[in-house]
Amino acid sequence: MYVDTQTSLPHTSRIYDYFLGGKDNYEVDRKAAAEILEAWPDIRTAARTNRKFMHRSTKFLAESGVRQFLDVGTGIPTEPNLHQIAQQITPESRVVYVDNDQLVLAHARALMTGAGPGAITYIEGDVTDPISILQAVERNRMLDLSQPIGLSMVALLHFVDHSVDDIMATFLDALAPGSYLAVCTITADFAPDQVIRAQEVYRVRKLPAQVRTFDEVTGWFAGLDLVEPGVVPPHRWRPEAISTMPASYDAKVSCYCAVGRKP
Ligand SMILES: C[S@@+](CC[C@H](N)C(=O)[O-])C[C@H]1O[C@@H](n2cnc3c(N)ncnc32)[C@H](O)[C@@H]1O
């Protein structure tokens, strides 16, 4: 019997799209999302806060002189997308988007057309195979690996149950000095019950889900200069206005983020 895995199995990209109020999700995704919301009622706030971190960290990188971006785990397009933020500051910024979901691929093709003067490319790839991603980037001369690159992995690594240390080592080895790494990922440090229950909803559906501790996230930045304020919940990373968020907000968001620079 033919089974359309796109509509019969949930996918992390479409569940996230649902949390952000998007329309690119199916019944099976909404069912999983409802269970996740039961476990973690504030996950929509977490998704929006994560997305805003992507906006601010991309702006920071562009203002720091980065002109090339490699965004792994791009997600279903949600405006503003990373290239729109980078190109607003430097129109010639080049962006390579990477994701492993077919639906993101379908949307990304549409997104690429009509882009600004800087080249925007999409490749289907898996973060657990960084060599293939780097080879594709190099083979097609999408980015110049001898020049600084902003490597963005936002709301991606909690869907990776491989060794992130190894993945980081491979990427960071290949990147030129002056490159940056920006990460945001889920932690159970602030509200273990809600996060572990939500993690289970993914796992029973055979979707990898892995929460990380403060020390694990800090370890991914070994050898990099951590940009102030270091590893913090995303609403505390260089907020646009003075942050008056109470400590209880950290539990609602339950993520750590950070930006580091390769010396
Ligand atoms: C929650 S979305 C994050 C989207 C965007 N980065 C953001 O922060 O708004 C996670 C994305 O990572 C993708 N993804 C999950 N596992 C992946 C993997 N092993 N390799 C590449 N992409 C993956 C999913 O398809 C999804 O589009």
Side-chain angles (χ1 to χ4, degrees), residues 11-14 16 20 47 50-51 54 71-76 78 98-101 104 125-128 133 152-156 158-160 208:
H11 197 286
T12 53
S13 64
R14 301 187 309 248
Y16 182 68
L20 286 175
N50 164 80
R51 193 78 198 162
M54 187 280 279
D71 180 43
V72 189
T74 298
I76 292 165
T78 306
V98 185
D99 206 287
N100 70 349
D101 181 28
V104 178
D126 200 298
V127 72
T128 59
I133 294 175
S152 158
M153 295 190 194
V154 178
L156 164 69
H158 42 248
F159 299 125
V160 175

Short mmCIF file of all heavy atoms in Angstrom, two decimals, residues 11-14 16 20 47 50-51 54 71-76 78 98-101 104 125-128 133 152-156 158-160 208, ligand 1:
data_model
loop_
_atom_site.label_atom_id
_atom_site.label_comp_id
_atom_site.label_asym_id
_atom_site.label_seq_id
_atom_site.Cartn_x
_atom_site.Cartn_y
_atom_site.Cartn_z
N HIS A 11 6.16 16.12 10.99
CA HIS A 11 7.55 16.54 10.81
C HIS A 11 7.81 17.77 11.66
O HIS A 11 6.94 18.63 11.82
CB HIS A 11 7.86 16.83 9.34
CG HIS A 11 9.34 16.86 9.08
ND1 HIS A 11 10.13 17.91 9.47
CD2 HIS A 11 10.18 15.95 8.52
CE1 HIS A 11 11.39 17.65 9.15
NE2 HIS A 11 11.45 16.46 8.57
N THR A 12 9.04 17.84 12.16
CA THR A 12 9.40 18.94 13.07
C THR A 12 9.19 20.32 12.42
O THR A 12 8.78 21.25 13.09
CB THR A 12 10.86 18.80 13.51
OG1 THR A 12 11.68 18.68 12.35
CG2 THR A 12 11.06 17.58 14.37
N SER A 13 9.48 20.44 11.13
CA SER A 13 9.36 21.75 10.47
C SER A 13 7.91 22.21 10.45
O SER A 13 7.60 23.38 10.66
CB SER A 13 9.90 21.69 9.04
OG SER A 13 9.11 20.83 8.27
N ARG A 14 6.98 21.26 10.22
CA ARG A 14 5.57 21.64 10.11
C ARG A 14 4.94 21.86 11.49
O ARG A 14 4.05 22.69 11.65
CB ARG A 14 4.81 20.57 9.31
CG ARG A 14 5.41 20.40 7.90
CD ARG A 14 4.57 19.48 7.05
NE ARG A 14 4.27 18.24 7.69
CZ ARG A 14 4.72 17.04 7.33
NH1 ARG A 14 5.52 16.92 6.27
NH2 ARG A 14 4.37 15.96 7.99
N TYR A 16 6.56 23.13 13.98
CA TYR A 16 7.07 24.47 14.33
C TYR A 16 6.31 25.55 13.56
O TYR A 16 5.96 26.59 14.13
CB TYR A 16 8.56 24.49 13.98
CG TYR A 16 9.31 25.76 14.30
CD1 TYR A 16 9.54 26.16 15.62
CD2 TYR A 16 9.84 26.55 13.29
CE1 TYR A 16 10.28 27.31 15.90
CE2 TYR A 16 10.57 27.69 13.56
CZ TYR A 16 10.78 28.07 14.87
OH TYR A 16 11.52 29.21 15.14
N LEU A 20 4.15 28.71 15.10
CA LEU A 20 4.38 30.11 14.70
C LEU A 20 3.15 30.72 14.01
O LEU A 20 3.19 31.86 13.57
CB LEU A 20 5.58 30.20 13.75
CG LEU A 20 6.97 30.04 14.40
CD1 LEU A 20 8.05 30.04 13.32
CD2 LEU A 20 7.26 31.13 15.42
N ALA A 47 8.80 29.43 20.62
CA ALA A 47 9.07 29.47 19.18
C ALA A 47 9.27 30.91 18.70
O ALA A 47 10.21 31.21 17.96
CB ALA A 47 7.93 28.80 18.41
N ASN A 50 12.58 32.30 20.06
CA ASN A 50 13.69 31.72 19.31
C ASN A 50 13.85 32.44 17.97
O ASN A 50 14.94 32.80 17.55
CB ASN A 50 13.39 30.24 19.08
CG ASN A 50 14.26 29.64 18.02
OD1 ASN A 50 15.39 29.30 18.26
ND2 ASN A 50 13.73 29.52 16.79
N ARG A 51 12.71 32.66 17.31
CA ARG A 51 12.74 33.31 15.99
C ARG A 51 13.32 34.73 16.11
O ARG A 51 14.09 35.17 15.26
CB ARG A 51 11.29 33.34 15.46
CG ARG A 51 11.13 33.68 14.02
CD ARG A 51 11.43 32.53 13.09
NE ARG A 51 11.65 33.05 11.76
CZ ARG A 51 12.25 32.39 10.78
NH1 ARG A 51 12.70 31.16 10.95
NH2 ARG A 51 12.42 32.92 9.61
N MET A 54 16.95 34.64 16.23
CA MET A 54 17.52 34.50 14.87
C MET A 54 17.63 35.88 14.22
O MET A 54 18.63 36.21 13.59
CB MET A 54 16.67 33.54 14.04
CG MET A 54 17.25 33.19 12.68
SD MET A 54 16.99 34.46 11.43
CE MET A 54 15.31 34.13 10.92
N ASP A 71 22.86 28.69 6.79
CA ASP A 71 21.78 28.50 7.75
C ASP A 71 21.28 27.06 7.67
O ASP A 71 20.60 26.69 6.71
CB ASP A 71 20.65 29.49 7.45
CG ASP A 71 19.49 29.34 8.41
OD1 ASP A 71 19.75 29.20 9.63
OD2 ASP A 71 18.33 29.37 7.97
N VAL A 72 21.64 26.26 8.66
CA VAL A 72 21.27 24.84 8.63
C VAL A 72 20.04 24.63 9.53
O VAL A 72 19.99 25.11 10.66
CB VAL A 72 22.46 23.96 9.10
CG1 VAL A 72 22.14 22.49 8.86
CG2 VAL A 72 23.75 24.35 8.41
N GLY A 73 19.04 23.91 8.98
CA GLY A 73 17.77 23.75 9.68
C GLY A 73 16.94 25.01 9.52
O GLY A 73 16.41 25.58 10.48
N THR A 74 16.84 25.42 8.26
CA THR A 74 16.21 26.69 7.89
C THR A 74 14.75 26.80 8.29
O THR A 74 14.29 27.84 8.76
CB THR A 74 16.29 26.81 6.34
OG1 THR A 74 17.66 26.83 6.01
CG2 THR A 74 15.57 28.00 5.81
N GLY A 75 14.01 25.73 8.08
CA GLY A 75 12.58 25.74 8.37
C GLY A 75 11.76 26.26 7.20
O GLY A 75 12.28 26.78 6.22
N ILE A 76 10.46 26.09 7.34
CA ILE A 76 9.51 26.61 6.34
C ILE A 76 9.62 28.13 6.36
O ILE A 76 9.66 28.72 7.45
CB ILE A 76 8.08 26.12 6.70
CG1 ILE A 76 8.02 24.60 6.49
CG2 ILE A 76 7.03 26.84 5.87
CD1 ILE A 76 6.83 23.93 7.11
N THR A 78 9.44 31.85 6.90
CA THR A 78 8.63 32.68 7.81
C THR A 78 9.24 34.07 7.79
O THR A 78 10.39 34.24 8.18
CB THR A 78 8.69 32.12 9.26
OG1 THR A 78 8.32 30.73 9.24
CG2 THR A 78 7.78 32.86 10.20
N VAL A 98 19.94 25.32 4.28
CA VAL A 98 20.02 23.85 4.28
C VAL A 98 18.91 23.29 5.17
O VAL A 98 18.71 23.78 6.28
CB VAL A 98 21.38 23.36 4.86
CG1 VAL A 98 21.51 21.84 4.74
CG2 VAL A 98 22.56 24.06 4.21
N ASP A 99 18.22 22.29 4.69
CA ASP A 99 17.22 21.59 5.52
C ASP A 99 17.09 20.17 4.99
O ASP A 99 17.48 19.89 3.85
CB ASP A 99 15.87 22.32 5.48
CG ASP A 99 15.02 22.06 6.73
OD1 ASP A 99 14.50 20.92 6.86
OD2 ASP A 99 14.90 22.97 7.57
N ASN A 100 16.51 19.28 5.81
CA ASN A 100 16.35 17.90 5.34
C ASN A 100 14.88 17.55 5.09
O ASN A 100 14.56 16.40 4.89
CB ASN A 100 16.99 16.90 6.31
CG ASN A 100 16.23 16.79 7.62
OD1 ASN A 100 15.34 17.59 7.89
ND2 ASN A 100 16.59 15.82 8.44
N ASP A 101 13.99 18.56 5.13
CA ASP A 101 12.58 18.28 4.93
C ASP A 101 12.15 18.66 3.51
O ASP A 101 12.43 19.76 3.03
CB ASP A 101 11.76 19.07 5.95
CG ASP A 101 10.26 18.81 5.81
OD1 ASP A 101 9.90 17.72 5.34
OD2 ASP A 101 9.47 19.69 6.15
N VAL A 104 10.15 21.90 3.11
CA VAL A 104 10.99 23.11 3.15
C VAL A 104 11.63 23.29 1.77
O VAL A 104 11.68 24.40 1.23
CB VAL A 104 12.07 23.01 4.25
CG1 VAL A 104 12.96 24.24 4.25
CG2 VAL A 104 11.42 22.85 5.62
N GLY A 125 20.07 18.90 2.77
CA GLY A 125 21.20 18.30 3.48
C GLY A 125 20.83 18.00 4.91
O GLY A 125 19.85 18.51 5.43
N ASP A 126 21.66 17.15 5.51
CA ASP A 126 21.43 16.74 6.89
C ASP A 126 22.60 17.20 7.73
O ASP A 126 23.75 16.92 7.39
CB ASP A 126 21.28 15.21 6.94
CG ASP A 126 20.57 14.79 8.21
OD1 ASP A 126 21.11 15.05 9.32
OD2 ASP A 126 19.47 14.22 8.10
N VAL A 127 22.29 17.86 8.84
CA VAL A 127 23.35 18.41 9.69
C VAL A 127 24.24 17.31 10.26
O VAL A 127 25.39 17.56 10.64
CB VAL A 127 22.75 19.29 10.81
CG1 VAL A 127 22.06 18.46 11.87
CG2 VAL A 127 23.81 20.18 11.43
N THR A 128 23.73 16.07 10.32
CA THR A 128 24.54 14.97 10.84
C THR A 128 25.60 14.53 9.82
O THR A 128 26.43 13.69 10.12
CB THR A 128 23.68 13.76 11.23
OG1 THR A 128 22.96 13.33 10.08
CG2 THR A 128 22.70 14.12 12.33
N ILE A 133 27.48 18.65 3.33
CA ILE A 133 27.01 20.05 3.20
C ILE A 133 28.17 20.94 2.76
O ILE A 133 28.05 21.72 1.80
CB ILE A 133 26.42 20.55 4.54
CG1 ILE A 133 25.15 19.76 4.89
CG2 ILE A 133 26.13 22.05 4.49
CD1 ILE A 133 24.55 20.07 6.26
N SER A 152 24.61 29.37 11.10
CA SER A 152 23.47 29.51 11.99
C SER A 152 22.76 28.16 12.14
O SER A 152 22.45 27.50 11.15
CB SER A 152 22.57 30.59 11.36
OG SER A 152 21.27 30.47 11.81
N MET A 153 22.55 27.75 13.38
CA MET A 153 21.82 26.50 13.67
C MET A 153 20.81 26.82 14.75
O MET A 153 21.06 26.59 15.94
CB MET A 153 22.79 25.43 14.16
CG MET A 153 23.80 24.99 13.13
SD MET A 153 24.64 23.55 13.75
CE MET A 153 26.03 23.49 12.64
N VAL A 154 19.73 27.42 14.34
CA VAL A 154 18.76 27.93 15.30
C VAL A 154 17.55 27.00 15.35
O VAL A 154 16.95 26.69 14.31
CB VAL A 154 18.36 29.38 14.92
CG1 VAL A 154 17.32 29.91 15.88
CG2 VAL A 154 19.60 30.28 14.93
N ALA A 155 17.23 26.54 16.56
CA ALA A 155 16.13 25.59 16.78
C ALA A 155 16.31 24.33 15.94
O ALA A 155 15.35 23.79 15.40
CB ALA A 155 14.77 26.25 16.52
N LEU A 156 17.52 23.88 15.82
CA LEU A 156 17.84 22.68 15.04
C LEU A 156 18.37 21.55 15.92
O LEU A 156 17.94 20.40 15.80
CB LEU A 156 18.88 23.04 13.96
CG LEU A 156 19.59 21.84 13.32
CD1 LEU A 156 18.62 21.05 12.45
CD2 LEU A 156 20.79 22.29 12.48
N HIS A 158 18.16 20.46 18.88
CA HIS A 158 17.34 19.58 19.76
C HIS A 158 16.67 18.48 18.93
O HIS A 158 16.00 17.63 19.50
CB HIS A 158 16.32 20.40 20.58
CG HIS A 158 15.64 21.48 19.82
ND1 HIS A 158 15.84 22.81 20.07
CD2 HIS A 158 14.76 21.44 18.80
CE1 HIS A 158 15.09 23.54 19.26
NE2 HIS A 158 14.44 22.72 18.47
N PHE A 159 16.82 18.52 17.60
CA PHE A 159 16.31 17.43 16.77
C PHE A 159 17.46 16.52 16.31
O PHE A 159 17.30 15.76 15.36
CB PHE A 159 15.56 17.98 15.56
CG PHE A 159 14.35 18.80 15.94
CD1 PHE A 159 14.18 20.08 15.48
CD2 PHE A 159 13.38 18.27 16.79
CE1 PHE A 159 13.08 20.84 15.85
CE2 PHE A 159 12.28 19.02 17.17
CZ PHE A 159 12.13 20.31 16.69
N VAL A 160 18.59 16.65 16.97
CA VAL A 160 19.76 15.88 16.58
C VAL A 160 20.22 15.06 17.79
O VAL A 160 20.59 15.64 18.81
CB VAL A 160 20.89 16.83 16.11
CG1 VAL A 160 22.17 16.06 15.81
CG2 VAL A 160 20.43 17.62 14.89
N PRO A 208 13.65 12.43 16.29
CA PRO A 208 14.69 12.61 17.30
C PRO A 208 14.45 13.88 18.11
O PRO A 208 14.05 14.91 17.55
CB PRO A 208 15.99 12.73 16.49
CG PRO A 208 15.62 12.70 15.06
CD PRO A 208 14.14 12.53 14.93
C1 LIG B 1 12.14 24.23 14.44
S1 LIG B 1 12.65 24.43 12.79
C2 LIG B 1 13.73 25.84 12.93
C3 LIG B 1 13.64 26.80 11.78
C4 LIG B 1 14.49 28.05 11.89
N1 LIG B 1 15.90 27.73 11.97
C5 LIG B 1 14.08 28.90 13.05
O1 LIG B 1 14.78 28.92 14.06
O2 LIG B 1 13.05 29.56 12.98
C6 LIG B 1 13.84 23.11 12.64
C7 LIG B 1 14.21 22.79 11.23
O3 LIG B 1 15.32 21.89 11.25
C8 LIG B 1 15.10 20.91 10.24
N2 LIG B 1 15.86 19.71 10.61
C9 LIG B 1 15.57 18.81 11.59
N3 LIG B 1 16.51 17.87 11.63
C10 LIG B 1 17.43 18.18 10.67
C11 LIG B 1 18.64 17.59 10.24
N4 LIG B 1 19.10 16.46 10.81
N5 LIG B 1 19.33 18.18 9.24
C12 LIG B 1 18.87 19.31 8.65
N6 LIG B 1 17.72 19.92 9.02
C13 LIG B 1 17.00 19.36 10.02
C14 LIG B 1 13.61 20.69 10.21
O4 LIG B 1 13.19 20.15 8.97
C15 LIG B 1 13.11 22.10 10.45
O5 LIG B 1 12.87 22.75 9.23
#
